[in-house]
């Protein structure tokens, strides 16, 4: 199913590494391939069966400086840019718009793809290439000279940053092309072998791209879907192309942000690369947020997200309580609950995942065991992690109830 999905996606001109990451890797991590669309979740949210989900992504080109068009949000009803107050029906996300009008309806993005988009921060060049190279083990995969040569080039890309490269990689390429020793591709392989160690990683990648183009010329860019997918993935790896999406604000005169409206295509990536908790979405004025429970699962500094959020809000004129940095100095052994309040601003309750109450004396140990890049968990590890997370709520449930009461009944707030 995953192979079929990614090969189908590779037919689209906006194919990117997000497609490959979503269908080949994320769905395996989640052990689920959800082909439904986000709009299908409307009813269970409207009836109150499920909490209302708000998902986030950011524009790759502006995620560092974060202007008003950086943050994108996704709900079962709409997708849009809260900083600009511009939205479209979620069913139309990915469709082609021009000057504020729907120009061409495209097939909606399924949940599996969106999960990969929202969780692409873990996407690494090494993991992507290793997954692609796994095709080597599929004996029933008849991909011909071009397919095997493409995969061998991907293997070289995997080693482009290594100081030393296994000569067997070049042996493999020469073996694949041995019956075509007069081809340009074969000659390039021999030349690359001679100069490889003298090149820096970027030049090595460029040589791989040149070889890929030569393979197309020598053996014909086959119309086979597998060849198309590998070729496009190779190109996306070279350009590190993620989340390519038709921009629904393209040439929209109602929005005064040319750095966004001038782009026909935007590249969306995991919002955690900007702020690892989506405060800019929760603080959308229409939501009138009064109380935010921040259960922080970030690696490293347990206060990084709330400090970044405070900076973002200050720069963009959004209400946010003052953060006293003196309270946030103990990053290695934090408490389990911090409460920040301010005039005309929401109250923020911040809960570091690992702290002096749920794992006393073992914060560093827990952080090491449950690092960001840990991709699988045993049953014992799952239970250990859940126990720690539950303690954060159990130990602070009275404080949470008190703050909810204050928000619901402001007059009950004690002097």
């Amino acid at each position: 199913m995953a192979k079929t999905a990614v090969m189908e996606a590779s037919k689209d001109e906006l194919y990117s590494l997000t497609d490959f990451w979503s269908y080949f890797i994320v769905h395996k991590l989640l052990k689920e391939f959800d082909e439904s669309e986000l709009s299908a979740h409307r009813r269970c949210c409207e009836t109150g069966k499920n909490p209302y989900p708000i998902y986030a992504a950011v524009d790759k080109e502006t995620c560092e400086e974060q202007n008003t068009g950086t943050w994108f949000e996704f709900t079962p009803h709409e997708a849009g840019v809260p900083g600009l107050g511009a939205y479209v029906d979620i069913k139309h996300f990915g469709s082609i718009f021009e000057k504020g009008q729907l120009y061409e309806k495209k097939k909606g993005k399924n949940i599996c793809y969106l999960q990969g988009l929202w969780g692409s921060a873990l996407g690494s060049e090494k993991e992507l290439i290793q997954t692609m190279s796994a095709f080597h083990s599929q004996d029933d995969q008849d991909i011909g000279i071009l397919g095997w040569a493409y995969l061998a080039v991907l293997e070289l890309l995997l080693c482009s940053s290594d100081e030393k490269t296994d000569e067997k990689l070049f042996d493999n390429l020469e073996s694949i092309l041995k019956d075509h020793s007069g081809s340009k591709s074969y000659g390039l392989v021999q030349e690359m072998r001679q100069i490889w160690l003298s090149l820096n990683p970027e030049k090595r990648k460029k040589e791989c791209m040149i070889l890929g183009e030569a393979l197309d010329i020598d053996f014909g860019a086959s119309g086979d879907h597998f060849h198309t997918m590998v070729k496009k993935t190779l190109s996306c790896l070279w350009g590190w192309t993620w989340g390519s999406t038709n921009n629904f604000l393209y040439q929209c005169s109602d929005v005064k942000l040319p750095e966004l409206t001038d782009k026909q295509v935007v590249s969306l990536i995991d919002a955690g690369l900007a702020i690892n908790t989506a405060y800019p979405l929760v603080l959308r004025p229409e939501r009138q947020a009064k109380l935010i429970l921040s259960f922080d699962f970030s690696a490293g500094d347990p206060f990084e997200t709330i400090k970044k959020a405070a900076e973002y809000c200050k720069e963009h004129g959004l209400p946010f309580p003052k953060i006293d940095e003196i309270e946030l100095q103990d990053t290695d052994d934090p408490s389990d609950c911090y409460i920040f309040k301010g005039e005309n601003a929401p109250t923020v309750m911040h809960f570091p995942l690992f702290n002096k109450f749920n794992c006393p004396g073992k914060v560093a140990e827990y952080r090491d065991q449950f690092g960001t890049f840990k991709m699988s968990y045993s049953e014992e590890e799952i239970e250990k992690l859940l126990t720690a997370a539950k303690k954060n709520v159990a130990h602070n449930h009275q404080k949470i109830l008190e703050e909810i009461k204050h928000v619901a009944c402001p007059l009950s707030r004690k002097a």
Side-chain angles (χ1 to χ4, degrees):
M1 183 175 292
K3 286 188 293 183
T4 301
V6 78
M7 288 183 187
E8 185 65 26
S10 69
K11 298 176 185 178
D12 194 293
E13 61 182 6
L14 295 185
Y15 174 80
S16 73
L17 294 177
T18 304
D19 295 281
F20 188 87
W21 173 253
S22 299
Y23 297 132
F24 266 129
I25 301 173
V26 172
H27 101 270
K28 290 183 179 179
L29 295 176
L30 300 178
K31 295 181 173 57
E32 181 181 33
F33 190 89
D34 192 342
E35 295 184 89
S36 68
E37 295 185 15
L38 187 53
S39 58
H41 294 197
R42 288 179 179 177
R43 182 169 177 77
C44 61
C45 297
E46 292 169 347
T47 60
K49 180 179 179 181
N50 291 338
Y52 195 71
I54 306 172
Y55 304 100
V58 291
D59 184 345
K60 180 184 175 185
E61 294 183 10
T62 63
C63 70
E64 292 187 9
E65 60 267 27
Q66 296 189 59
N67 61 34
T68 54
T70 296
W71 283 77
F72 283 66
E73 76 166 46
F74 304 80
T75 73
H77 293 85
E78 59 190 6
V81 185
L84 299 172
Y87 299 86
V88 293
D89 191 300
I90 188 64
K91 294 180 179 179
H92 293 152
F93 173 69
S95 292
I96 300 176
F97 283 77
E98 189 170 333
K99 298 180 180 179
Q101 300 297 317
L102 179 62
Y103 182 77
E104 181 182 346
K105 179 74 172 70
K106 294 284 189 177
K107 182 180 178 182
K109 299 293 187 180
N110 62 36
I111 292 292
C112 187
Y113 173 87
L114 291 173
Q115 287 172 328
L117 174 67
W118 304 324
S120 56
L122 294 178
S124 69
E125 189 174 75
K126 181 177 181 180
E127 186 157 10
L128 287 163
I129 296 174
Q130 284 179 328
T131 302
M132 178 66 75
S133 298
F135 277 105
H136 274 93
S137 64
Q138 298 180 17
D139 296 331
D140 61 339
Q141 185 73 57
D142 183 13
I143 59 177
I145 291 177
L146 187 61
W148 290 118
Y150 274 151
L151 290 174
V153 173
L154 285 171
E155 291 277 10
L156 272 179
L157 266 176
L158 176 62
C159 301
S160 61
S161 298
D162 296 349
E163 290 186 9
K164 294 183 179 181
T165 300
D166 192 339
E167 288 292 320
K168 291 181 180 179
L169 295 178
F170 286 103
D171 290 342
N172 182 39
L173 262 170
E174 289 189 10
S175 176
I176 292 169
L177 301 174
K178 64 182 180 181
D179 293 333
H180 304 274
S181 58
S183 67
K184 181 179 180 181
S185 300
Y186 189 85
L188 282 175
V189 172
Q190 292 185 313
E191 291 175 14
M192 287 172 63
R193 186 171 207 153
Q194 296 300 317
I195 65 173
W196 187 261
L197 293 179
S198 66
L199 302 177
N200 62 36
E202 288 305 311
K203 289 185 177 180
R204 288 178 179 178
K205 291 177 183 178
K206 188 172 183 178
E207 289 294 320
C208 289
M209 292 303 298
I210 292 173
L211 177 56
E213 292 169 359
L215 289 168
D216 280 348
I217 294 172
D218 288 340
F219 303 103
S222 170
D224 180 86
H225 292 165
F226 175 80
H227 293 156
T228 301
M229 184 265 290
V230 177
K231 180 183 176 183
K232 282 195 171 184
T233 304
L234 185 66
S235 178
C236 289
L237 280 166
W238 167 241
W240 203 234
T241 304
W242 288 85
S244 300
T245 307
N246 288 307
N247 181 13
F248 69 89
L249 291 176
Y250 178 57
Q251 294 187 347
C252 183
S253 59
D254 294 335
V255 175
K256 308 303 180 184
L257 190 67
E259 52 263 57
L260 178 59
T261 58
D262 287 350
K263 296 188 293 188
Q264 195 166 1
V265 175
V266 291
S267 296
L268 301 180
I269 57 174
D270 190 330
L273 294 169
I275 304 175
N276 206 27
T277 301
Y279 283 100
L281 308 189
V282 177
L283 294 171
R284 176 177 165 183
E286 294 86 350
R287 294 201 162 103
Q288 299 181 11
K290 302 298 183 184
L291 175 63
I292 299 174
L293 305 185
S294 169
F295 292 95
D296 191 85
F297 301 148
S298 303
D301 183 352
F303 308 116
E304 180 181 8
T305 57
I306 198 165
K307 288 186 286 189
K308 282 188 173 183
E311 292 173 6
Y312 179 92
C313 291
K314 182 178 180 180
E315 291 176 5
H316 294 86
L318 294 174
F320 201 75
K322 183 178 179 180
I323 304 301
D324 187 351
E325 300 250 353
I326 296 178
E327 292 186 52
L328 311 182
Q329 292 182 348
D330 198 353
T331 59
D332 294 328
D333 194 29
S335 184
D336 60 343
C337 179
Y338 296 81
I339 303 177
F340 303 96
K341 300 180 181 182
E343 292 294 326
N344 301 314
T347 294
V348 177
M349 302 184 73
H350 187 73
F351 307 87
L353 176 58
F354 301 126
N355 52 71
K356 63 179 64 179
F357 289 99
N358 64 4
C359 50
K362 297 182 178 181
V363 171
E365 176 186 318
Y366 271 64
R367 288 177 179 174
D368 288 340
Q369 182 176 3
F370 300 105
T372 300
F373 294 94
K374 183 178 179 62
M375 296 298 184
S376 61
Y377 293 81
S378 66
E379 289 187 11
E380 291 77 14
E381 288 173 326
I382 292 173
E383 184 59 34
K384 183 177 181 180
L385 183 58
L386 285 175
T387 298
K390 289 176 181 178
K391 285 182 179 179
N392 284 340
V393 177
H395 189 252
N396 293 289
H397 78 280
Q398 190 58 44
K399 292 181 182 178
I400 294 172
L401 291 175
E402 287 175 2
E403 293 304 325
I404 292 175
K405 182 180 179 181
H406 291 160
V407 169
C409 306
L411 296 180
S412 69
R413 186 183 296 272
K414 296 180 181 180

